[in-house]
Amino acid sequence: MNITYTPDGGEFHLSNGIISYIFRIYENGYAGSLYFGKALSPARSYRHLGPREFRGFSHSPGDFTRFEYPSTGNGDFRIPAITVVHADGSSVIDPVYREHRIYSGKKPIPGLPATYVESDAEADTLEVDLVDAPSGIVITLFYSIFRDYPVIARHVCVTNSGITSGSAVYACETLTCAMSASLDLPDQVWELIELTGAWGREFQEERRPLRHGAQGVASVRGVSGSQQNPFIALARPGCDERTGEAIGFSLVYSGNFRAECEADSFGMTRVRMGINPAGFSWNLGSGESFETPEAVIAWSLSGLGGLSDAYHGLYRTRLARGFWRDRDRPVLINNWEGTYFDFNEDRLLSIARTAKDFGVELFVLDDGWFGKRNDDTSSLGDWAANTAKLPDGIDGLARKVESLGMKFGLWFEPEMISRESELFAAHPDWAVGVPGRTRTEARHQYVLDFTRAEIVDHIFAAISDILKKGPVSYVKWDMNRNITEPYSASLSADRQGEFFHRYMLGVYLLFERLTSAFPEILFESCSSGGARFDPGMLFYAPQGWLSDDSDAVERLRIQWGASLCYPPSSMGAHVSASPNHQVGRVTPIDTRAAVAFFGAFGYELDPARLSQSELEAVKIQIVFFKQHRTLFRTGRFIRLVNPYEGTDASWMIVCPDRSRAIVAFYRVLAKPFPVATRVKLAGLDAGVNYRITTWPERTPTGTTGSSGSTVAVESVVRGGDELMYSGLRVLDSAFFEPQTGDFWAKLFILDMITS
Ligand code: GLA
């Protein structure tokens, strides 16, 4: 068992040999942190790591205690994990220990996405009940420690037991904040890392020293948002990709969130993460419970790379689920940037036919196939094919695509309704809005009220009808606006604070029903690109469209930032047209592929507009990708040269037994008279030699070869030790002729020499 309890001192020690998480129950019943970090001996007591002295003008223990789940009104004046309003209007909550349970395995969280185990041996769980006796509120803290990862998954269940110690009978409690986790750390020598951005430039990595006071990231948009992802890390100054201590906090949730650190006046740091308290409240009647989403806390002493290793492994194999979790994904072509709304069946089939010749395996029809939709002003909610464009309907088109030897995929935006739609004409009250107020339109559309079961039922039936009829193998689930005027006619006045979370529960319910009804369909989540690219979505859809910005150079930063927490297998990445539609940049087609290979790979262009040499290049790209796609999906992804720090970028992917690796080097801007550039690799076997070949293949003319094989004109042998400690000379003339010009990329394929 990885969890021990020592009754003398009330100490809990969770350890898996990699990390230890230690806290204790103080004499007054408070649960207080003692330690989180590298594994400590389980045989000792660590109670001396708790507070010894209480100072301050309040003489309150609160300010000096590191709490497991801090509350309000009891002398701790920092940011709380829980706040309530009792029926009498008071808000003190003072939870003390009552009992605990330790068991093997990990339970699901009803109605919510969460990490899971496939056998009880993979994790142990501790549940601790804290009770606020006067109100009868019971707070159950859940901690699961994974056997194979330096990770603790936490969430909380708050129950109004209805059993109070005093005379007051609180029939109804109102929760106004219930965080998934709070962690008090004993010092402040940290830098805060966040992933910030906007549409088209999601996942921009930012790092700054902690300052006194509260700081963090949040969303009130109804989605996790492209502005700030529900992930933060604390890193020691100097912590880099491979060395130094870092702690990651990731929320398995897709709605309004907050991740916040408070560096207090007494040298400690509190981190809290969970549903954003802004705009949130939840009524808890007697006997009712509220489950928070899960926060996944990872620890590393091997820099940010160590954090990413933990999240990638856990999220790829124990958060993503289903048929596609462990399968190579089909190479797809999506028609969005190729045609936008301007298509008919002939044009689509002609794209599909050419793509099939390249080796593409899945044709995806994006927006514009339903109702009367020829632009973004109408028809969301009317999920029936526009027969003016598609005379034989979706099933007819899907069969024609299948007869070409490809699979067929389809775009939906299930949560939306256009004002110009049959659905809106029939049910104007289904759109989210406050009676008597104007609804804000965004992209000419409103959001359906997914807190209402009948609306979720209707959309489930409409989408299922289409999926049942035609051979549809893939669904892209989009969500293209934020939620304004939050209000549901189905909720009483005192329950409107529940709207945003109930909306997410509706989304998760629909996802659960569709993925259960169609288990072999590959789902890809999307929200104007990466506006809802988060762990919650990954539970239902093993891949998500990372960004509408498909420019190769922009994507270097986006994929680099996203990879702090998310595995490449989860990141939709496509080769699109040049000049690029988002930034107008002209890049070589092989550079675009060399970036997109490190994701769920596909194309998003009209092949009719490609030149002959580009068409040839695409064929070779697909041969290359198929040869290596298991490695791209399952390998260990290691960041090497940071695109935020200069004009080059580099990363690599290594297979688990280290016998093969692919290193990518991207020269974004050319340099005159370049000095030899070495990239220090990582994750290889130091004791063996690797044969290095390159892609695109070098030919005497300097153009891409035609075979798609990775055999270079000259192959080079280097030791794993040299490649890691001296570095790979990426500009070496052994690999290719000197390159000039901007935006070029080279992949180095390293194969271990065994004999
Ligand atoms: C969003 C998505 C795009 C595309 C369009 C269609 O912007 O991110 O990929 O599907 O919607 O309207």
Side-chain angles (χ1 to χ4, degrees), residues 336 366-367 411 443 476 478 480 526 528-529 545 548 604:
W336 178 243
D366 210 278
D367 194 356
W411 180 97
R443 211 192 185 208
K476 177 173 170 186
D478 209 340
N480 279 322
C526 176
S528 296
W545 183 226
D548 275 349
E604 183 150 343

Side-chain angles (χ1 to χ4, degrees), residues 20 210 253 469 558:
S20 282
L210 274 192
Y253 193 57
K469 255 194 254 161
I558 294 170

Side-chain angles (χ1 to χ4, degrees), residues 135-138 159-164 168-171 173 285-288:
S135 68
I137 288 181
V138 180
T159 303
N160 177 4
S161 69
I163 305 160
T164 64
V169 178
Y170 294 135
E173 294 285 340
S286 182
E288 289 178 355

Side-chain angles (χ1 to χ4, degrees), residues 199 202 334 336-337 340-341 366-368 373 376 380 411-413 443 445 476 478-480 526-530 545 547-549 574 604:
W199 174 85
E202 300 86 345
N334 176 306
W336 178 243
E337 286 196 22
Y340 294 105
F341 292 103
D366 210 278
D367 194 356
R373 190 153 166 104
D376 62 9
L380 291 167
W411 180 97
F412 288 94
E413 202 176 350
R443 211 192 185 208
Q445 64 198 57
K476 177 173 170 186
D478 209 340
M479 198 291 186
N480 279 322
C526 176
S527 180
S528 296
W545 183 226
S547 175
D548 275 349
D549 190 341
H574 299 169
E604 183 150 343

Side-chain angles (χ1 to χ4, degrees), residues 319-397:
L319 177 60
R321 298 176 298 168
F323 183 83
W324 286 101
R325 186 191 74 182
D326 299 327
R327 285 186 161 79
D328 288 332
R329 317 283 163 71
V331 175
L332 66 79
I333 188 158
N334 176 306
N335 74 308
W336 178 243
E337 286 196 22
T339 67
Y340 294 105
F341 292 103
D342 180 19
F343 60 82
N344 56 26
E345 192 183 81
D346 285 348
R347 186 158 182 214
L348 297 178
L349 286 173
S350 126
I351 293 175
R353 233 173 266 120
T354 321
K356 165 68 188 162
D357 288 347
F358 303 158
V360 171
E361 298 157 310
L362 168 71
F363 173 82
V364 177
L365 173 53
D366 210 278
D367 194 356
W369 57 267
F370 47 91
K372 298 188 175 59
R373 190 153 166 104
N374 290 313
D375 54 32
D376 62 9
T377 58
S378 83
S379 304
L380 291 167
D382 298 345
W383 300 113
N386 178 345
T387 44
K389 288 178 175 176
L390 307 173
D392 295 329
I394 287 298
D395 49 325
L397 173 64

